[in-house]
Amino acid sequence: MSDSHGHSHPHAPHPHQPDVEDAPLTHHQILELAVAELLIEKGVFSGGDMRRTLEVIDSRSPADGARVVARAWVDPDFRARLLADANAAAGELGIDAGTIPITTVENTPDVHNVIVCTLCSCYPRMLLGLPPDWYKSRAYRSRLVREPRAVLAEFGTVLPDDIEVRVHDSTAELRYLVLPIRPPGSEDMDEAALAELVTRDCMIGVTLPDSPDG
Amino acid sequence: MSAPRFPVGAAVRIRRAFPPGHIRAPWYLRGCAGAVSHVVGEMGNPEEFAYGRCDGPKLTVYRVRMRQPDIWPDYAGPPHDTLVVDVYENWLEPAGEETP
């Protein structure tokens, strides 16, 4: 056996990270590739158009939603406009929230809102970016509507019984954004600092913003 | 938009029907009753879009709020917990008129 690197024992095979092609394509992946190729061949859009659109989708992040929430916390007029028309309100901040209507559901001392899409995984991607894997899981989608308080507790969110837990099942061409309650101790923070408190999960409603008091 | 068939506050039920095909009324809510909390407006029918039929009439979409114990008789949380779901009008009937 030739030894090209200075020792003679046989190597154990290294585990290889599988290439993306190593798993067989599913029916729907083949369908998606075929439809995309056909639309490009027919000139409906170009490969560049598709790439640019994917890039825009991938560029979205919860920081966009956090800016919207922080503005609503410091500006009551903006908050009213956000509750009336979230897409237009986001536009005021230079955020293109897309054409699917987004409804803002506001947490209050009496009501805690949390979002799910039991049919698939509808999610306000234009304000929050791509959804986390757990949001798309069958466990989250089936359990949140059946035992919401148990699911919230697993996220560390234990709410007193006198608060109404309101689950929103997003089944139409509509999207939902939770407007959390501004946390205690944040009274002296400016808008940019407030936005740092607003996480993806509190805009889905599975948790609350951390108080700066700890 | 003309006046909606079900105004805010109307007592409605999601039809207890189980047709085949692309359906937007979640299975677990069929036969459940609640109240209209919001009339969203008219939207195209995705149950038709799924089969390439895009020219049909629009349907009014409602948000319907239900009490959790009305969905799950053994619901573990307090009875004032609720669920709000988007429903297309073809899936709603007056709450008193359950389809047998």
Side-chain angles (χ1 to χ4, degrees):
Chain A
M1 176 182 166
S2 72
D3 173 18
S4 59
H5 56 279
H7 52 256
S8 58
H9 64 87
H11 277 198
H14 290 280
H16 287 282
Q17 173 172 306
D19 293 323
V20 289
E21 293 85 354
D22 284 350
L25 289 172
T26 65
H27 169 81
H28 290 99
Q29 285 171 324
I30 294 170
L31 189 65
E32 183 248 315
L33 288 169
V35 169
E37 283 178 11
L38 277 170
L39 289 167
I40 290 166
E41 273 179 33
K42 287 176 174 293
V44 177
F45 53 72
S46 70
D49 293 334
M50 190 164 104
R51 182 200 58 73
R52 274 188 290 277
T53 302
L54 290 173
E55 202 168 53
V56 167
I57 293 169
D58 287 348
S59 71
R60 296 311 175 116
S61 88
D64 294 326
R67 284 174 55 210
V68 172
V69 169
R71 175 64 61 89
W73 282 347
V74 299
D75 180 344
D77 293 334
F78 179 83
R79 173 183 152 277
R81 294 196 296 278
L82 177 66
L83 293 171
D85 183 341
N87 303 62
E92 292 180 33
L93 305 185
I95 298 167
D96 174 6
T99 54
I100 300 178
I102 299 171
T103 296
T104 308
V105 288
E106 182 181 33
N107 286 348
T108 69
D110 300 320
V111 178
H112 177 84
N113 296 282
V114 56
I115 312 299
V116 65
C117 170
T118 56
L119 295 181
C120 48
S121 54
C122 295
Y123 189 77
R125 294 178 180 218
M126 299 297 276
L127 290 181
L128 298 188
L130 297 176
D133 284 346
W134 57 257
Y135 184 85
K136 300 183 281 185
S137 71
R138 194 165 57 224
Y140 179 76
R141 285 159 45 223
S142 56
R143 292 184 58 222
L144 190 79
V145 296
R146 180 71 178 91
E147 46 176 7
R149 287 176 184 265
V151 174
L152 291 174
E154 289 168 23
F155 281 96
T157 308
V158 178
L159 299 168
D161 275 359
D162 58 341
I163 291 179
E164 171 191 335
V165 170
R166 189 177 294 173
V167 175
H168 297 265
D169 190 355
S170 171
T171 55
E173 304 307 308
L174 304 164
R175 301 291 180 268
Y176 295 93
L177 177 78
V178 173
L179 175 58
I181 296 174
R182 181 172 173 165
S186 66
E187 293 77 10
D188 297 331
M189 298 173 73
D190 67 14
E191 190 176 330
L194 288 169
E196 297 287 320
L197 299 177
V198 185
T199 64
R200 174 195 73 195
D201 288 359
C202 68
M203 291 182 281
I204 301 172
V206 293
T207 188
L208 307 174
D210 286 334
S211 167
D213 294 341
Chain B
M1 188 177 115
S2 54
R5 180 177 173 209
F6 301 109
V8 169
V12 291
R13 182 185 307 278
I14 298 182
R15 291 190 296 116
R16 193 188 299 274
F18 302 92
H22 179 79
I23 299 299
R24 286 294 187 93
W27 184 286
Y28 73 100
L29 293 174
R30 300 197 203 161
C32 292
V36 172
S37 66
H38 190 66
V39 181
V40 176
E42 294 184 338
M43 304 183 84
N45 182 357
E47 297 177 356
E48 293 292 304
F49 292 167
Y51 301 98
R53 299 189 289 261
C54 301
D55 301 326
K58 292 190 168 185
L59 297 174
T60 302
V61 176
Y62 300 87
R63 309 212 68 217
V64 176
R65 188 165 158 217
M66 301 172 174
R67 295 169 62 254
Q68 286 281 18
D70 290 342
I71 305 170
W72 317 105
D74 62 345
Y75 181 70
H80 52 253
D81 282 357
T82 58
L83 180 135
V84 185
V85 61
D86 311 322
V87 192
Y88 292 80
E89 186 169 292
N90 60 329
W91 275 96
L92 289 180
E93 60 191 5
E97 297 177 16
E98 183 169 8
T99 306

